[in-house]
């Protein structure tokens, strides 16, 4: 009898936080209004990726703010591009704020597959707390290696039900016939997978083709 | 001096540099005429030295933060295969030769180059084959590179995030009919990737039949015949269909015959046998089509079936292209030969439409709002039809023609302004590149019509059984008290009339809520309209005291929510012709105690009209009560019925809620001219600060209509002279200050068409020239509702706030139409003759409640409307009503003219207020003529005694600052039109901060207006309209008593209400131009 009591107690205690979590989530869901601002987490890669993602961001409306940029720590060029983009945007929209975050690079260009797994795990450890802290509504990335850990952590956040996050992956314009490595990985994780060439659309039916958007 | 530019991007590409600097390459370049070579070497090992010979110069550098000038200057760009450089060069429109770095073997760069080469945008080679490629390539064959469309991505994201983030997906009416849902977008994408095109079919039960009739008979009209064919076929071969149907087969067939019955798989099998065609169904984006029937027929019917069983027909893109061209040809014939529009104008219109402004690139067009437009896939042409369409949507405002289906003649409305020669829908059809889904268009319109009549019926249910009401048997007849027996269908109500003890079935039109307010004996209905020039307004309210006044400025509100396109104009015209105004005596006879009982239920939240509070006036005798009935009526269920003022919630929601509740049916206005009882609340379409819906219905302003044939009263003003003589400019120009695409107000206001509201621009912002706040959140639309008029819209502030404004019954009905300062608007409002007049004053302090600006709280834009603190000149055009006829007599026989009154105390003034009223008006009218020079009235002492009685009238802010008054008025006086422009262009009119004035100081509103065209001889006005007694014309309290002279300001005392000034507009004739179209 004694043990029965304890087990039930243990079970209820363990279930209690989960229950609380669900209720919280339910309550939180009610308050999201349609045109509330949308917290955006953008993964900026090196060179071409940043220009592409900034072009996409440029067309977004005012409600996508604040914008959190995540860069690989070894990436110099992107920061400067992002700052001048944000300058322009601040002129256009009054209250647009953004933040820059750096995480260790998950994979150097042309780094061997095996070692990149290690580095990716390392950067996942960095991106998880970041994702937990930021709790973005939308994660937007277009292919640099660093987006894999971020998307994985965002995905984790989603599974745990802590935050309703939409992961949007836009494949880079250079990819005409086959996906980049991170594209292949995130094809399953992302909610919306956008490609820019019809050929890719055939190969990956689940993806979306909206014409050339960059 | 042609130059070539070589770039290797951020990495290094030494092979390219060595190859290009090798002599054969330089020689080849020179042969091709390039005598200048610029090298961007990047991290390359060596950087060649710059040198220049007579015929050839070479420059080299490693990095630059931006290569755009080099690309711009170059006539040929040789680049590595990096995506960034490729795109940059192609978008700059420069010929591009891409050199692949085969050492890299990371071939994704090659992929892009090869694809772009296949699309004919560039040439590519390796560093070894550079030289012969240089010689062999022919740059002229390169096709222009269409820029990417990030806005498609943005729209997609908005939709996606909208659904994901928001828990409640607004399934508004609009969405159901017009907008493409997300699944539709993906489906369309999928189909377009297969080279197919989904033609939207009417979203009702007839969709399958329409689709089949269209694919078999090439038009959708025979969908009923198709349905009957199916029923008879199934009846004939009952045995092989019976097994699929549970229950009685006959009943099933019967139900199938009813057009409201949708069809399914069983019917498809039947059709396949009837028309021996096989059905191919596309059900899910991504999945290949499934054969619904497999009877081996070669002819196929392609359908796209959505999850909820809705069928759309599917055609090949080729069909769409051909159909577009045929459609264009057909429309051209239609317009050229049937409507004999001249060739040239047609061509220019189409041309203008085709290369419509490209500027509006960022209006997203994914799943474009305009569901019924199916445009051809984006072609290589620079401005894809789709983009063109978006741009046009921003222009599309005026008057989409009532298009019947293709066979019917297309009654094109005469183009109003040169810029928009043809209605937008017609232009879509005329454009050979756009295939306009006309059937769906027509269906959408019929849907909207239905929607409106639903309101009507819905409104009809306002009358509950046993409701007391007033009914008249024939239009214009006498009203009897009656009880409602029951509410029939389509606007018929059976009533039991007490006096006649009979039961009648009466159309809703002739019904009127009963009003308890005791009739005011003195008033009698304005009768004797001259020669019927005045638009016959049948129906309408007679409030107990049988006094009918049509409250002109209500028209502004009416216009506000009465979004009836043509009708509105008609209504305005009707009003204008009648422009009956509350007779002065009525206006100032309101005693506060007798004032209408209906209070603005919104405590604390005073809408700008609230403060037209009529202070107690000496002449209490002639109290005029506001009909309570109507208010009672409205309060019952907060719904708006046709007779009941529409009650929009303020602010943007005002739009939405208007949309849902709005009673704006065309049929309504056509079926009867019932004046609406206008809910005061609707005058201020401001987003309520407190965000909640104002609870009860505020006071209603009831339109009263000039009744015909009643005894003496001020004769209705037959203004046949100048058609829409006093067509007050529509009150509220909702001019979005910031959105470039906002339609010029004058156009907007004068002929705001109802149609437009249905075609909001792609990004959800309604570009229509509606008088509503375009839903664009960040644009601040302000409307000045300047109801300065009569008791009719007496509004009592909440009990809490005492109302200081002694505003005597302003006789001048003025539609103040706040024209934004932004010059574009002002210039375009040239035709709206604006009189620099005291403006609706709302000091910012009270602005939240009082401010007329509809600025949604979140946008920081200060209220455009000039409030003293803002100091920006706003020019309010207003309408000046000509003075009424001498009471009780037509101009013709007006015999007795009272002697001059010279006694300063005014004792020898004529006793009869009507006469007083008349001559006062006459005096005032002449006062506004140019014959009065400004000096004259500066010294004018306040006029006759009744004036003193009025307490401080916190006179509205006038734009004028001391330095400018005289010139201002002069200018104002002689030519109204420039004034607005000058005022705004100067913009420098600074309004000094007004010192707080002790209450009780008497001021007079600055009413500068000029009645530009002298009233026509024999011009009689039915409106006993005298600019408010106390409004002494352009009175600039220059006298020392006002301290720093002509500074006009309004006491910024929050508890005070800012009385709207009496704005008199200038030459009304001007308005008629637009109106009389």
């Amino acid at each position: 009898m004694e043990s029965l009591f304890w087990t039930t107690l243990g079970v209820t205690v363990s279930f209690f936080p989960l229950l609380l979590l669900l209720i919280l989530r339910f309550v939180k869901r009610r308050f999201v209004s349609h045109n509330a601002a949308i917290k955006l987490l953008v993964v900026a890669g090196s060179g071409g990726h940043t220009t592409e993602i900034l072009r996409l961001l440029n067309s977004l409306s005012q409600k996508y703010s604040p914008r959190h940029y995540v860069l690989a720590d070894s990436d110099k060029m992107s920061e400067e591009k992002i700052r001048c983009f944000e300058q322009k945007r601040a002129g256009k929209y009054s209250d647009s704020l953004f933040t820059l975050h750096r995480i260790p690079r998950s994979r150097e260009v042309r780094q061997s597959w095996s070692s990149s797994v290690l580095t990716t795990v390392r950067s996942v450890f960095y991106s998880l707390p970041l994702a937990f802290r930021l709790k973005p509504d939308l994660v937007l990335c277009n292919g640099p290696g660093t987006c894999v850990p971020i998307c994985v952590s965002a995905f984790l956040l989603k599974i745990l039900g802590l935050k309703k996050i939409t992961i949007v992956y836009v494949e880079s314009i250079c990819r005409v016939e086959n996906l980049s490595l991170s594209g292949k990985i995130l094809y399953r994780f992302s909610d919306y997978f956008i490609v820019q060439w019809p050929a890719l659309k055939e190969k990956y039916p689940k993806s979306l083709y909206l014409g050339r958007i960059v | 001096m042609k130059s070539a530019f070589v770039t290797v991007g951020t990495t290094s590409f030494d092979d390219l540099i060595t190859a290009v600097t090798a002599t054969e390459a330089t020689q080849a370049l020179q042969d091709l005429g390039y005598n200048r070579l610029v090298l961007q070497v990047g991290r390359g090992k060596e950087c060649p030295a710059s040198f220049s010979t007579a015929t050839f110069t070479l420059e080299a550098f490693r990095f630059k933060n931006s290569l755009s000038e080099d690309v711009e200057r170059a006539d040929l760009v040789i680049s590595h295969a990096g995506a960034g450089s490729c795109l940059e060069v192609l978008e700059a429109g420069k010929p591009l030769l891409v050199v692949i770095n085969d050492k890299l073997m990371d071939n994704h760069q090659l992929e892009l180059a090869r694809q772009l080469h296949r699309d004919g945008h560039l040439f590519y080679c390796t560093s070894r084959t550079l030289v012969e490629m240089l010689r062999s390539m022919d740059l002229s064959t390169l096709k222009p590179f269409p820029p990417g469309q990030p806005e498609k991505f943005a729209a997609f994201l908005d939709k996606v995030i909208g659904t994901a983030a928001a828990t409640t997906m607004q399934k508004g009416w609009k969405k159901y009919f017009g907008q493409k849902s997300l699944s539709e977008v993906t489906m369309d994408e999928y189909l377009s990737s297969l080279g197919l095109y989904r033609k939207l079919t009417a979203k009702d039960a007839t969709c399958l039949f329409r689709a089949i009739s269209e694919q078999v008979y090439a038009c959708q009209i025979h969908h009923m015949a198709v349905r009957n064919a199916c029923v008879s076929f199934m009846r004939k071969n009952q045995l092989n269909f019976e097994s699929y149907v549970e229950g009685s087969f006959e009943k099933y067939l019967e139900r199938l015959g009813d057009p409201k019955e949708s069809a399914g798989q069983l019917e498809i099998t039947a059709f396949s046998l009837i028309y021996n065609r096989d059905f191919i169904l596309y059900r899910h984006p991504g999945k290949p089509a499934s054969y619904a029937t497999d009877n081996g027929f070669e002819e196929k019917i392609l359908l796209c079936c959505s999850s909820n069983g809705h069928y759309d027909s599917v055609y090949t893109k080729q069909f769409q292209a051909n159909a577009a061209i045929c459609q264009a040809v057909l429309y051209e014939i239609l317009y050229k030969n049937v409507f004999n529009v001249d060739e040239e104008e047609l061509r220019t219109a189409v041309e203008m439409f085709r290369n419509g402004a490209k500027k509006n690139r960022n209006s997203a067009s994914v799943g474009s709002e305009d569901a019924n437009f199916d445009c051809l896939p984006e072609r290589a042409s620079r401005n894809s039809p789709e983009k063109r369409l978006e741009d046009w949507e921003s222009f599309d405002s005026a008057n989409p023609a009532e298009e019947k289906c293709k066979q019917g003649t297309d009654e094109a409305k005469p183009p109003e302004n040169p810029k928009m020669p043809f209605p937008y829908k017609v232009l879509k059809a005329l454009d050979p590149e756009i295939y306009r889904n006309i059937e769906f268009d027509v269906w959408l319109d019929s849907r909207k019509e239905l929607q409106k009549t639903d309101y009507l019926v819905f409104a009809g249910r306002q009358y509950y059984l046993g409701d007391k009401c007033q009914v008249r048997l024939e239009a214009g007849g006498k009203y009897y008290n009656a009880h409602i027996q029951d509410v029939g269908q389509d606007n018929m109500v059976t009533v039991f009339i007490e006096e006649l003890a009979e039961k009648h079935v009466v159309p809703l039109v002739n019904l009127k809520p009963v009003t308890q307010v005791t009739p005011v004996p003195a008033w009698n209905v304005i009768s004797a309209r001259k020669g019927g020039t005045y638009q016959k307004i049948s129906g309408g309210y007679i409030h107990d005291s049988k006094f009918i006044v049509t409250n002109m400025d209500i028209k502004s509100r009416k216009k506000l929510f009465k979004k009836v396109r043509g009708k509105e104009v008609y209504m305005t015209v009707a009003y204008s012709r009648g422009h009956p105004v509350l007779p002065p005596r009525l206006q100032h006879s309101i005693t506060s105690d007798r004032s209408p009982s209906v209070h603005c239920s919104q405590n604390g939240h005073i809408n700008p009209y609230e403060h037209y509070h009529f202070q107690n006036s000496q002449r209490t005798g002639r109290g005029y009560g506001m009909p309570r009935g109507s208010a009672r009526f409205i309060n019952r269920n907060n719904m708006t019925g046709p007779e009941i003022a529409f009650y929009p919630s303020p602010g943007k929601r005002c739009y939405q809620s208007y949309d849902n509740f709005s009673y704006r049916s065309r049929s309504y206005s056509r079926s009867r001219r019932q004046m609406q009882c206008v809910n005061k609340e609707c005058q201020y379409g401001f987003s309520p600060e407190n965000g909640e819906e104002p609870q009860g219905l505020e006071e209603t302003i009831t339109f009263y209509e000039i009744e015909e044939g009643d005894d003496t009263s001020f004769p209705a003003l037959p203004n046949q002279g100048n058609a829409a003589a006093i067509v007050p400019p529509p009150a509220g120009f909702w001019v979005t200050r910031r959105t470039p695409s906002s339609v010029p107000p004058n156009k907007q206001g004068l002929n705001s068409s109802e149609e437009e509201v249905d075609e909001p621009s792609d990004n959800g912002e309604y570009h229509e020239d509606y008088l509503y706040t375009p839903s664009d959140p960040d644009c601040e639309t302000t409307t000045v509702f300047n109801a300065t008029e009569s008791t009719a819209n007496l509004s009592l502030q909440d009990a809490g706030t005492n109302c200081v404004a002694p505003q005597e019954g302003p006789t001048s009905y003025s539609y103040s139409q706040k024209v934004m300062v932004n010059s574009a608007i002002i210039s375009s409002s040239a035709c709206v003759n604006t009189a620099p007049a005291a403006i609706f004053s709302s000091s910012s302090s009270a602005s939240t409640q009082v401010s007329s600006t509809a600025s949604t709280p979140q946008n920081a834009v200060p209220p455009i409307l000039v409030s003293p603190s803002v100091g920006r000149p706003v020019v309010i055009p207003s309408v000046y009503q000509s003075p009424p006829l001498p009471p009780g007599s037509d101009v013709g026989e007006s015999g007795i003219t009272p002697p001059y009154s010279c006694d300063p105390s005014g004792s020898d003034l004529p006793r009869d207020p009507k006469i007083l009223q008349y001559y006062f008006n006459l005096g005032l009218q002449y006062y506004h003529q140019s014959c009065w020079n400004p000096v004259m009235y500066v010294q004018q002492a306040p006029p006759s005694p009744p004036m003193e009685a009025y307490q401080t009238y916190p006179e509205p802010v006038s734009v004028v600052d001391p330095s400018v008054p005289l010139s201002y008025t002069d200018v104002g006086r002689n030519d109204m039109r420039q004034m607005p422009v000058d005022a705004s262009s100067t913009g420098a009119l600074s309004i000094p901060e007004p010192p707080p004035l002790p209450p009780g100081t008497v001021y007079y509103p600055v009413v500068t207006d000029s009645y530009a065209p002298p009233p026509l001889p024999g011009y009689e006005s039915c409106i006993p309209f005298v600019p408010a007694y106390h409004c002494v014309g352009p009175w600039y309290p220059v006298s020392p008593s006002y301290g720093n002279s002509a500074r006009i300001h309004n006491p910024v005392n929050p508890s005070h209400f800012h009385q709207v000034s009496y704005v008199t507009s200038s030459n009304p004739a001007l308005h008629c131009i637009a109106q009389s179209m």
Side-chain angles (χ1 to χ4, degrees), chain A residues 107-150:
Chain A
R107 180 176 165 277
E108 282 305 330
V109 178
R110 290 190 291 286
Q111 183 184 343
S112 73
W113 223 92
S114 56
S115 61
S116 60
V117 171
L118 273 173
T119 48
T120 312
V121 167
R122 179 170 59 105
S123 58
V124 165
F125 275 117
Y126 276 87
S127 55
L128 257 176
L130 181 67
F132 271 55
R133 189 157 44 87
L134 296 178
K135 282 199 172 52
D137 300 323
L138 169 69
V139 172
L140 185 60
C141 49
N142 74 334
T146 13
C147 71
V148 174
I150 293 287

Side-chain angles (χ1 to χ4, degrees), chain B residues 431-736:
Chain B
D431 178 352
E433 278 182 19
I434 297 175
Y435 174 55
R436 191 179 127 220
N437 188 341
I438 293 191
E439 293 83 2
F440 192 74
D441 269 4
V442 170
W443 178 78
L444 263 182
D445 288 345
S446 63
R447 235 344 170 219
K448 280 171 218 151
E449 272 316 301
L450 208 64
Q451 188 76 19
K452 288 179 196 124
T453 44
D454 292 351
Y455 290 153
L456 182 66
V457 172
F458 170 76
R461 253 171 251 109
Q462 292 301 301
Y463 300 97
Y464 294 110
L465 301 191
D467 231 358
K468 222 155 113 0
C469 71
Q470 298 222 319
V471 172
R472 61 175 177 198
L473 295 182
E474 57 320 307
K478 187 170 172 308
Y479 268 80
Y480 308 99
N481 290 336
H483 285 278
I484 295 179
Q485 298 303 333
D486 78 44
V487 180
Q489 257 316 330
D490 59 52
N491 319 350
M492 296 309 283
V493 181
T494 42
V495 284
F496 174 76
I497 301 180
E498 291 129 4
E499 286 119 359
L500 313 172
E502 292 149 359
K503 221 172 168 191
H504 286 278
V505 179
V506 178
L508 222 48
V509 179
N510 297 344
L511 214 62
K512 177 185 117 32
V514 76
T515 50
Q516 284 80 12
V517 179
T518 51
V520 178
W523 290 112
N524 34 42
V525 177
I526 297 182
S527 64
R529 259 191 293 278
K530 287 284 278 190
T533 52
Y534 167 62
Q535 281 286 330
K536 173 84 190 49
I537 296 193
S538 66
Y541 279 147
I542 296 184
H543 112 331
D544 292 354
S545 68
K546 291 236 169 338
F547 176 73
I548 305 288
V549 65
T550 303
N551 173 336
M552 276 294 292
D553 59 339
I554 296 196
K555 184 174 73 162
S556 70
R557 291 175 229 124
K558 176 150 184 36
K559 192 141 171 71
L560 245 191
F561 55 81
K562 181 90 180 114
K563 305 193 274 186
V564 175
R565 181 163 43 97
K567 299 353 122 270
E568 183 173 15
V569 175
Y570 161 73
M571 299 299 287
T572 338
V573 171
Y575 275 138
S576 66
R577 288 229 183 74
H579 52 70
V581 170
L582 197 64
R585 17 184 200 136
L586 200 162
Q587 288 136 15
H588 49 72
S589 61
I590 304 303
T591 49
S592 58
D593 48 46
R594 296 268 335 273
S595 61
S597 55
V598 178
H599 281 256
C600 163
S601 62
Q602 205 165 2
N603 37 39
H605 184 104
I606 299 104
N607 65 40
Y609 295 109
E610 284 300 327
H611 38 254
Y612 301 111
H613 168 76
F614 288 91
Q615 199 48 27
N616 211 327
S617 72
Q618 277 129 338
R619 283 200 238 123
T620 53
R622 240 169 257 97
Y624 163 73
M626 252 294 289
R628 274 185 46 75
S630 52
R632 174 182 63 77
F633 218 44
I634 300 169
N635 290 343
R636 165 166 301 143
N637 48 22
N638 208 354
M639 265 318 127
T640 56
E643 285 75 20
I644 297 145
F646 162 70
Y647 156 59
S649 76
K652 180 160 172 283
R653 266 178 298 114
C654 158
Y655 179 75
Q656 263 79 20
S657 75
Y658 164 76
D659 209 14
N660 304 340
F661 298 119
S662 79
Y663 187 82
R664 55 179 180 135
S665 95
R666 253 180 234 152
S667 55
Y668 164 73
S669 62
R670 237 185 250 123
S671 63
R672 38 181 179 188
R673 298 292 170 274
Q674 182 88 25
M675 291 307 157
Q676 275 191 4
C677 155
V678 174
N679 178 327
K680 169 159 280 206
E681 227 269 298
C682 64
Q683 298 150 7
Y684 53 95
F686 309 113
S687 50
E689 266 49 62
N690 40 37
E692 25 64 9
E693 201 73 17
Q695 314 75 10
L697 272 184
E698 285 65 28
E699 179 179 14
T700 51
I701 302 102
T702 310
F703 273 106
Y704 295 91
E705 180 192 51
I706 301 289
E707 206 42 8
E708 244 172 340
D710 282 284
D711 48 29
T712 61
S713 74
F714 283 106
L717 168 71
N719 63 348
Q720 75 290 11
N722 35 25
I726 311 220
V727 174
F733 278 105
W734 293 77
V735 178
T736 24

